[in-house]
Amino acid sequence: MPTTPLAAVPDVRRTAPLFRGRIGQDARSGHYAVPHRYRLHLSTASPDGLRLAVGHSLLGLGGSCPVTHLPAVPDCPAGGHAALRPLYEASAHHYTGPALAPVLSDDWSGRIVSTHAPDILRDLDRFPAAGRSSLYPRGTESVIEAVERMCAEGVEEAAQRAGSAGAGPAERAAALDVLLDTLGRLDRRLTGEEYLVDDRLTAADIELWVALVQLDTVHRCHLDASAVHRIADHRALWAHARRLAARPDFGRHLDLDGISRRHHGRCHGLEAAGAAVQILDWAGHAAAARDVPRPPSDGS
């Protein structure tokens, strides 16, 4: 296993979720892991929705925790979804804010358990299912959390700053340096390895894969061609993304048209020369993944 350190990464402060209930492992928790009680509401055009959709498939929860798919472009102001409004209003008295996705809801009470995607994926991992591996194996939590922070700050946020039309040249160049340094560390970690952590597929691989999807389908459009070529030069990283995209649990969830429509509906930046330099043929990999016969999920 490579020795590239991943733990010494600054923490990332994300927008505080309105609902952050947790699913425990017994009835005393109030919410506990029981089949047919919970439901996911998500759009795979958003990064959080894509992470959850992939994790949900890998965990084989299609028969025990159904998914309600939402439109790629939210149909209410401030990014809200009309379909989620009843859940928000039932869960918070006189709620007037946007009804945002993703949501994990409790069908027994008709209320929201959580809107915090990292917690939701960890809690889904607690559902009992025979014959599948955990996405958070014991002893790997700190490394997975480090990868999550690297992807959030060193890839997604750095790529946004590197392509920001409102930033000066020095700020964009510094952000690009952070992006390339982070990609380099992850690339070295994957050189000669199939997975990021403990020689098995974990939540760290989901996190990195979604970050690379966003980098190539969204952030690339605001970078110059030279920057994109430097990003593409991390061979082990993109080979990893390509392998995962060819797997049905990953590639089948790629909504490239939805990602594009969501991006253009939210972004007011300028398109740069990098928009013409696609790194991976995501459409081809997604189509190949959809053609692969899929074994039945646990509980289906």
Side-chain angles (χ1 to χ4, degrees):
M1 171 65 68
T3 58
T4 304
L6 294 177
V9 182
D11 197 4
V12 177
R13 303 298 179 187
R14 294 181 176 177
T15 303
L18 180 63
F19 299 95
R20 197 168 177 180
R22 300 301 304 270
I23 296 178
Q25 294 180 311
D26 59 58
R28 291 172 297 177
S29 67
H31 295 292
Y32 57 100
V34 59
H36 314 298
R37 176 173 178 177
Y38 304 99
R39 180 180 301 270
L40 271 176
H41 309 257
L42 56 83
S43 167
T44 55
S46 78
D48 279 342
L50 184 56
R51 289 183 189 98
L52 289 174
V54 171
H56 180 272
S57 288
L58 288 169
L59 293 170
L61 297 177
S64 57
C65 178
V67 176
T68 295
H69 290 277
L70 301 168
V73 179
D75 51 3
C76 291
H81 292 270
L84 297 178
R85 174 62 53 184
L87 281 171
Y88 273 82
E89 291 178 348
S91 305
H93 188 56
H94 295 311
Y95 181 76
T96 59
L100 303 175
V103 165
L104 177 67
S105 68
D106 179 355
D107 280 353
W108 289 6
S109 68
R111 296 185 178 184
I112 293 172
V113 177
S114 180
T115 58
H116 189 248
D119 286 354
I120 293 172
L121 187 55
R122 283 168 169 79
D123 287 352
L124 292 179
D125 196 51
R126 294 179 172 183
F127 275 69
R132 55 92 166 163
S133 299
S134 172
L135 296 178
Y136 298 89
R138 188 183 300 274
T140 65
E141 183 73 15
S142 63
V143 182
I144 293 174
E145 289 177 353
V147 172
E148 290 172 343
R149 294 194 296 271
M150 291 177 77
C151 290
E153 184 170 271
V155 180
E156 296 192 34
E157 292 183 14
Q160 287 179 348
R161 295 196 304 272
S164 173
E171 183 180 352
R172 291 197 297 270
L176 181 61
D177 285 344
V178 170
L179 173 61
L180 292 172
D181 177 69
T182 305
L183 294 178
R185 293 170 66 189
L186 291 164
D187 189 74
R188 290 189 293 274
R189 180 85 177 186
L190 281 167
T191 298
E193 299 291 333
E194 188 172 1
Y195 301 114
L196 277 169
V197 180
D198 204 31
D199 297 323
R200 58 177 130 175
L201 181 63
T202 68
D205 299 291
I206 300 174
E207 189 74 23
L208 176 59
W209 186 75
V210 172
L212 293 176
V213 170
Q214 286 292 112
L215 181 57
D216 195 20
T217 62
V218 173
H219 303 308
R220 170 180 56 82
C221 300
H222 304 293
L223 300 172
D224 63 40
S226 174
V228 176
H229 283 299
R230 294 171 70 188
I231 290 168
D233 201 34
H234 296 86
R235 306 296 176 83
L237 207 59
W238 294 104
H240 182 62
R242 187 183 303 111
R243 286 195 303 271
L244 293 182
R247 296 178 60 146
D249 290 322
F250 286 79
R252 282 178 170 166
H253 295 295
L254 271 175
D255 179 7
L256 298 172
D257 177 67
I259 291 172
S260 177
R261 288 189 288 113
R262 181 177 183 274
H263 170 58
H264 290 297
R266 293 160 51 97
C267 180
H268 303 289
L270 301 176
E271 187 172 284
V277 188
Q278 187 177 19
I279 299 174
L280 289 190
D281 176 17
W282 297 102
H285 297 313
R290 292 186 182 100
D291 289 337
V292 176
R294 190 173 188 173
S297 299
D298 294 328
S300 60

